[in-house]
Amino acid sequence: MQYLTSKLCLNGVKFLKKKLHTQQKFVSEHAEYEIIFNCLGFGSIEFCHDTKMVPIRGQMIRVKAPWIKHFYYTDDNCYIIPNINTICLGGTRQKGNSSLELCDKDKQDILNRCKELCPSLESASIEWEWVGLRPHREPIRVEKETIQPSANDEKNIIIIHNYGHGGNGISLSRGTCMHAVDLLLNSNSTYYIKSKL
């Protein structure tokens, strides 16, 4: 993400961190925008009242095991992923669970499954553990919406929604990003975009 952020900044993109409430309120306060990409994940629940969003809880463990050089993944959501300084062991995929607390039972299940797959992990030292929530939606929302900032405003604002990838965000992000841009550039509308980069 740091690499992508720096590339965008070099091309004149400005990042603003602020709490967004609703799509209509944001658009009415920022009518100067012509195009908005909504990649808010869980923020889309409030932003555009999306009731199809659900959390998928994931827990993982980072260990020191420099002898492991290969990636492992099984059908029961067991994975071993070498990184630069640690190995990522996982995981859990608990749909509808929004707890951010570490769970000892999940930790033991992860360790047992990973050690069964790769017994040499028995001597690995645990560095840290982590729990996160994956923003999931069925189906993933990649679509174009056109709205007016206010009732008396003739100008339309295009919103491209791209969220709900669940635990597949890294895998699917490139394809859904390309699809989202394609929705913007190759629509049947007469809207013409002049790049400001």
Side-chain angles (χ1 to χ4, degrees):
M1 284 305 242
Q2 289 177 342
Y3 169 76
L4 294 174
T5 301
S6 65
K7 290 288 281 182
L8 290 168
C9 288
L10 287 173
N11 284 297
V13 173
K14 292 182 174 65
F15 287 87
L16 173 68
K17 186 175 181 177
K18 91 183 240 185
K19 172 76 173 157
L20 303 178
H21 296 283
T22 67
Q23 178 175 289
Q24 193 60 49
K25 182 176 182 200
F26 180 80
V27 168
S28 65
E29 291 174 353
H30 299 282
E32 72 273 16
Y33 296 130
E34 298 173 3
I35 303 162
I36 297 168
F37 278 85
N38 169 19
C39 305
L40 291 172
F42 283 123
S44 295
I45 295 170
E46 184 178 354
F47 188 69
C48 45
H49 309 291
D50 194 329
T51 58
K52 293 183 179 179
M53 292 292 295
V54 295
I56 297 180
R57 182 182 175 277
Q59 183 166 325
M60 62 80 137
I61 304 165
R62 292 281 182 171
V63 299
K64 277 276 193 208
W67 58 89
I68 295 181
K69 306 292 183 199
H70 301 285
F71 171 93
Y72 300 85
Y73 189 85
T74 66
D75 290 338
D76 64 347
N77 206 40
C78 174
Y79 53 84
I80 301 170
I81 304 172
N83 296 139
I84 295 171
N85 297 315
T86 60
I87 308 295
C88 179
L89 306 180
T92 62
R93 185 177 287 270
Q94 300 162 343
K95 190 173 181 179
N97 184 343
S98 59
S99 172
L100 290 171
E101 299 295 319
L102 290 168
C103 173
D104 285 335
K105 182 186 179 313
D106 289 339
K107 175 183 178 178
Q108 283 310 309
D109 287 348
I110 293 167
L111 289 172
N112 291 341
R113 285 183 287 139
C114 289
K115 288 175 184 177
E116 185 178 324
L117 190 60
C118 186
S120 68
L121 283 169
E122 192 65 50
S123 59
S125 63
I126 295 176
E127 297 294 302
W128 51 277
E129 301 169 64
W130 182 81
V131 173
L133 302 177
R134 303 168 179 113
H136 178 75
R137 185 182 191 276
E138 290 179 21
I140 295 170
R141 187 176 187 195
V142 184
E143 62 186 31
K144 177 181 171 180
E145 181 178 6
T146 305
I147 64 171
Q148 289 181 299
S150 64
N152 57 358
D153 201 329
E154 293 181 16
K155 177 186 139 188
N156 286 328
I157 293 178
I158 294 174
I159 299 179
I160 305 291
H161 301 281
N162 185 5
Y163 62 86
H165 300 76
N168 300 309
I170 292 175
S171 304
L172 299 177
S173 61
R174 181 178 171 95
T176 58
C177 177
M178 292 171 68
H179 180 56
V181 170
D182 190 56
L183 285 173
L184 178 67
L185 298 178
N186 297 318
S187 67
N188 292 329
S189 72
T190 57
Y191 188 82
Y192 175 75
I193 299 163
K194 183 176 179 185
S195 175
K196 296 179 183 174
L197 298 181

